[in-house]
């Protein structure tokens, strides 16, 4: 077949008619760089790739083919079983039972608190976890319903070092007995406890928490059941919490008395405080209402209403004012309690005597220092915190490296003076220029 000059032969035609001629370099490279799929890789390479894939995606790969089915069950992939990428119902959890291995040390599951019939944690699941994961250390359960009649604290794995029940709701909850009762006996190795956004946590829960011997971190932010109840807080901090290092009680209704009780924890290194927003305060029922009605009923009532009975009515009104004042004391944190968290000196120091009334708020022995290892302190949106706190921290709190006073009543001049005297401290405030 004749070709015109404008036409050029194809490469495969050159090779066919002239077999001794070398193939062009481009053709050779195309053959060498032929596309290879995931199945063309060795098992070791595929397993290394799978280590960067989420557990939910591994489930999809597990269902792809026989080879991936075998590789996805490799025990090296399931040391951490993190299923937090999606909301899982109780039936969905059963699908991942295959991947629970004796080497698994972390399990993270997230439910959907808006669908109670789908997000209720079952006792059978916890039993499977305990039997298949004998070395489990971290168990993170978020946004699930837990029926107290079916699941109690002793049903959680005994080997845990970290337990998180963030956002979980306890069904059939009783105020007579804390859900965490005897947690120190059933989970003795626990070092981290996360109870964020758990409305069933109250001041009484501090008693159970304080008995955990090796506890180092407690997160109770947005636990609106925590209030200004000094009795439980004082006992818990004086008797227990001997190794606590991190305490988060932001967005709770604790006040000066409870905050001052934390000065007994000598091992504390980080503490987080933040006043609840007005929206939160409006939607949380006041604990004082019931007491108010009880007090009114207990007041002596006259048999007949006449002019002589008017003072009795005035007494009722005065009691109402007192109760309202007590209600305003919720989440009322001031310089007094904050200064008690960072006191450093000796009994022979004259400055100790001068500031003793401001620092030593609780009855008891005079201490030469409180929270000597405190490195990070967050105090946000408390109007009772002023420049007095900054002046106090200039001389006390030798280990302090981070201080957040955003939304407080500190002034720009006070912040500048603090920065001059303590330049090593990272200072966060409402003034962006500092």
């Amino acid at each position: 077949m004749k070709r015109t000059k404008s036409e050029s032969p194809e490469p495969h035609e050159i090779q066919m008619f002239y077999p001794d001629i070398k193939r062009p370099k481009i053709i050779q490279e195309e053959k060498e760089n032929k596309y290879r799929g995931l199945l063309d890789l060795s098992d070791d390479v595929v397993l290394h790739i799978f280590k960067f894939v989420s557990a939910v995606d591994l489930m999809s790969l597990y269902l792809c083919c026989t080879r991936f089915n075998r590789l996805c069950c490799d025990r090296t992939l399931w040391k951490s079983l993190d299923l937090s990428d999606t909301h899982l119902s109780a039936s969905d959890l059963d699908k991942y039972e295959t991947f629970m291995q004796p080497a698994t040390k972390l399990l993270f599951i997230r439910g959907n608190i808006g669908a109670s019939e789908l997000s209720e944690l079952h006792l059978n699941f916890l039993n499977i976890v305990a039997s298949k994961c004998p070395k489990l250390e971290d168990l993170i359960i978020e946004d699930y319903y837990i029926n107290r009649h079916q699941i109690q604290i002793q049903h959680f794995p005994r080997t845990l070092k970290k337990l998180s029940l963030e956002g979980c709701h306890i069904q059939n909850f009783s105020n007579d007995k804390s859900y965490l009762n005897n947690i120190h006996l059933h989970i003795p190795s626990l070092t981290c406890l996360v109870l964020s956004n758990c409305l069933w946590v109250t001041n009484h829960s501090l008693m159970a928490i304080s008995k955990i011997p090796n506890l180092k971190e407690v997160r109770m932010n947005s636990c609106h059941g925590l209030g200004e109840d000094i009795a439980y807080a004082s006992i818990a901090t004086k008797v227990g919490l001997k190794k606590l290092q991190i305490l988060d009680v932001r967005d709770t209704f604790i006040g000066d008395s409870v905050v001052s009780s934390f000065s007994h924890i000598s091992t504390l290194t980080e503490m987080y405080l933040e006043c609840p927003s007005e929206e939160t305060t409006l939607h949380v029922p006041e604990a004082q209402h019931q007491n108010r009605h009880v007090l009114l009923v207990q007041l002596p009532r006259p048999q007949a209403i006449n002019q002589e009975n008017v003072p009795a009515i005035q007494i009722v009104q005065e009691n109402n004012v007192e109760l309202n004042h007590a209600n305003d004391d919720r989440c009322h944190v001031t310089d007094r309690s904050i200064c008690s968290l960072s006191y450093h000196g000796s009994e022979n120091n004259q400055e100790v005597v001068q500031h003793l009334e401001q620092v030593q708020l609780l009855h008891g022995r005079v201490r030469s220092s409180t929270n000597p290892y405190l490195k990070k302190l967050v105090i946000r949106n408390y109007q009772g915190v002023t420049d007095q706190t900054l002046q106090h921290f200039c001389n006390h709190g030798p280990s302090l490296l981070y201080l957040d006073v955003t939304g407080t009543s500190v002034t720009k001049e006070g912040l500048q003076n603090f920065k001059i005297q303590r330049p090593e401290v990272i200072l966060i405030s409402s003034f962006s220029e500092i």
Side-chain angles (χ1 to χ4, degrees):
M1 179 178 178
K2 273 191 174 183
R3 293 183 182 272
T4 61
K5 292 184 179 180
S6 59
E7 295 179 354
S8 57
E10 295 294 334
H12 67 276
E13 295 179 357
I14 296 176
Q15 187 70 18
M16 180 175 61
F17 292 105
Y18 305 96
D20 297 332
I21 298 178
K22 264 192 173 183
R23 297 188 58 168
K25 186 177 180 182
I26 298 178
I27 303 300
Q28 292 180 6
E29 290 179 352
E30 287 181 357
K31 184 177 181 181
E32 293 173 358
N33 297 331
K34 183 181 179 182
Y35 172 76
R36 292 180 179 274
L38 191 61
L39 289 171
D40 296 323
L41 303 176
S42 64
D43 287 355
D44 293 338
V45 175
V46 173
L47 281 175
H48 182 73
I49 295 174
F50 282 3
K51 289 180 180 179
F52 301 95
V53 179
S54 67
V56 177
D57 291 335
L58 280 177
M59 168 61 94
S60 301
L61 292 170
Y62 172 80
L63 301 173
C64 282
C65 61
T66 305
R67 185 187 176 201
F68 282 0
N69 183 285
R70 174 178 55 83
L71 291 177
C72 285
C73 291
D74 190 273
R75 60 186 180 87
T76 60
L77 297 176
W78 302 107
K79 291 182 179 180
S80 297
L81 183 52
D82 189 347
L83 305 175
S84 60
D85 291 344
T86 184
H87 300 283
L88 299 175
S89 64
S91 58
D92 293 332
L93 293 176
D94 298 335
K95 301 176 182 178
Y96 294 91
E97 178 184 339
T98 306
F99 304 123
M100 296 181 187
Q101 306 285 344
T104 303
K105 292 187 176 182
L106 181 145
L107 175 60
F108 189 171
I109 58 175
R110 176 176 288 124
N112 184 2
I113 209 67
S116 59
E117 71 280 2
L118 297 177
S119 297
E120 181 177 350
L121 194 67
H122 295 312
L123 178 59
N124 183 49
F125 175 76
L126 289 180
N127 292 335
I128 293 174
V129 171
S131 61
K132 288 199 168 188
C133 308
K135 298 181 181 179
L136 189 68
E137 295 182 354
D138 299 347
L139 178 59
I140 305 174
I141 302 175
E142 295 184 0
D143 299 329
Y144 276 93
Y145 283 94
I146 300 176
N147 191 331
R148 181 170 185 168
H149 291 165
Q150 297 179 2
I151 300 178
Q152 298 179 2
I153 199 66
Q154 61 263 30
H155 294 131
F156 290 89
R158 186 178 178 84
T159 58
L160 293 181
K161 293 184 178 180
K162 177 180 179 179
L163 174 62
S164 175
L165 298 176
E166 180 176 348
C168 290
H169 288 198
I170 304 297
Q171 295 176 320
N172 302 313
F173 176 71
S174 175
N175 292 324
D176 300 334
K177 187 177 181 181
S178 173
Y179 184 74
L180 303 173
N181 192 39
N182 291 328
I183 186 174
H184 65 290
L185 300 177
H186 304 297
I187 316 178
S189 302
L190 199 65
T191 59
C192 178
L193 181 61
V194 180
L195 302 172
S196 304
N197 197 26
C198 291
L199 302 181
W200 46 271
V201 174
T202 63
N203 289 66
H204 184 262
S205 303
L206 291 174
M207 297 297 296
I209 295 174
S210 66
K211 297 178 182 179
I212 305 174
N214 298 314
L215 193 61
K216 295 183 179 180
E217 180 178 355
V218 177
R219 303 279 181 177
M220 296 186 291
N221 52 299
S222 299
C223 292
H224 299 147
L226 289 177
E228 187 64 349
D229 193 337
I230 184 59
Y232 292 122
S234 180
I235 296 174
T237 53
K238 286 183 179 180
V239 177
L241 301 176
K242 299 300 183 181
K243 298 182 180 181
L244 188 64
Q245 298 178 2
I246 301 174
L247 178 62
D248 189 349
V249 286
R250 291 172 296 170
D251 191 27
T252 61
F253 293 97
I254 63 174
D256 267 342
S257 299
V258 174
V259 173
S260 299
S261 66
F262 295 134
S263 63
H264 290 277
I265 308 175
S266 60
T267 56
L268 204 61
T269 59
E270 297 181 19
M271 186 169 182
Y272 301 84
L273 298 165
E274 184 172 358
C275 185
S277 62
E278 295 182 0
E279 183 179 355
T280 301
T281 306
L282 291 175
H283 288 83
V284 174
E286 298 180 5
Q288 302 290 342
H289 286 330
Q290 295 180 355
N291 295 333
R292 182 180 303 174
H293 292 301
V294 172
L295 289 175
L296 290 177
V297 172
Q298 291 178 347
L299 288 174
R301 295 182 179 274
Q303 297 180 355
I305 299 177
N306 50 43
Q307 295 296 330
E308 297 178 356
N309 296 330
V310 173
I313 298 176
Q314 292 178 351
I315 293 175
V316 174
Q317 293 175 349
E318 290 177 2
N319 286 336
N320 280 332
V321 173
E322 291 178 1
L323 289 172
N324 287 331
H325 178 71
N327 182 45
D328 291 338
D329 286 341
R330 295 190 311 164
C331 59
H332 187 59
V333 175
T334 64
D335 293 319
R336 295 183 4 179
S337 60
I338 300 301
C339 290
S340 70
L341 297 175
S342 61
Y343 181 71
H344 183 71
S346 63
E347 296 182 3
N348 297 327
N349 192 343
Q350 185 66 23
E351 189 176 2
V352 176
V353 180
Q354 294 176 356
H355 297 83
L356 185 60
E357 294 181 356
Q358 299 177 4
V359 176
Q360 196 67 24
L361 301 177
L362 298 175
H363 296 289
R365 66 184 186 279
V366 177
R367 288 168 290 164
S368 59
S369 62
T370 59
N371 307 119
Y373 305 107
L374 189 63
K375 296 181 179 179
K376 186 173 184 179
L377 179 60
V378 175
I379 322 160
R380 299 174 64 93
N381 302 329
Y382 288 108
Q383 297 301 315
V385 177
T386 66
D387 289 345
Q388 183 179 349
T389 291
L390 296 178
Q391 295 172 5
H392 181 81
F393 273 91
C394 287
N395 302 319
H396 303 286
S399 302
L400 189 68
L401 297 175
Y402 184 98
L403 179 62
D404 187 348
V405 289
T406 304
T408 61
S409 297
V410 298
T411 63
K412 189 173 182 179
E413 292 75 14
L415 292 168
Q416 291 174 343
N417 181 55
F418 177 85
K419 195 63 179 176
I420 293 173
Q421 299 188 51
R422 299 292 300 272
E424 76 281 4
V425 179
I426 299 175
L427 189 59
I428 309 296
S429 68
S430 301
F431 302 94
S432 57
E433 298 180 1
I434 302 299

